Amino acid sequence: MNEGEYLETVNDLKEQYITMKESLLLRISMLEEKQQTFRYQFTLTQFESPRPLAQVPCYTSNMVISMYKCRICNHWHPKYSYCLS
Ligand SMILES: [Zn+2]
């Protein structure tokens, strides 16, 4: 391999690196934005409950967290919670 071919190969690798870096940075920023949206939605709904207030706490042995897919906003909500959309 002469010097010209070597430089060409190195430049190709550099272009590949830049392209990969740009697409990965774009993906990271999209995922961060998505995560931010989920976090915000969770903050809005985590303390909401349609259940009446109780004088005495009543614990449950049911460890299953039930979710349902909302027909209004197409997201998952905890069972028995309202959609705010
Ligand atoms: Zn909803």
Side-chain angles (χ1 to χ4, degrees):
M1 182 185 281
N2 63 39
E3 193 181 348
E5 288 171 337
Y6 175 73
L7 282 177
E8 202 175 307
T9 306
V10 170
N11 279 331
D12 283 352
L13 286 175
K14 184 180 172 188
E15 269 178 36
Q16 266 184 43
Y17 168 77
I18 291 173
T19 307
M20 279 173 62
K21 187 177 168 187
E22 279 173 358
S23 70
L24 287 174
L25 283 176
L26 182 68
R27 182 166 159 77
I28 288 173
S29 67
M30 283 168 65
L31 288 173
E32 281 176 346
E33 192 179 324
K34 202 173 177 182
Q35 183 198 31
Q36 199 62 32
T37 308
F38 281 134
R39 186 175 291 160
Y40 177 67
Q41 284 178 346
F42 179 71
T43 309
L44 282 181
T45 57
Q46 66 178 323
F47 296 119
E48 284 188 7
S49 171
R51 287 175 294 183
L53 294 173
Q55 296 294 321
V56 179
C58 177
Y59 296 99
T60 175
S61 61
N62 185 2
M63 294 297 287
V64 180
I65 299 173
S66 305
M67 308 285 281
Y68 73 94
K69 184 141 186 153
C70 183
R71 281 187 225 158
I72 300 166
C73 71
N74 211 30
H75 287 102
W76 288 88
H77 300 306
K79 199 175 177 184
Y80 308 120
S81 75
Y82 295 122
C83 179
L84 292 176
S85 302

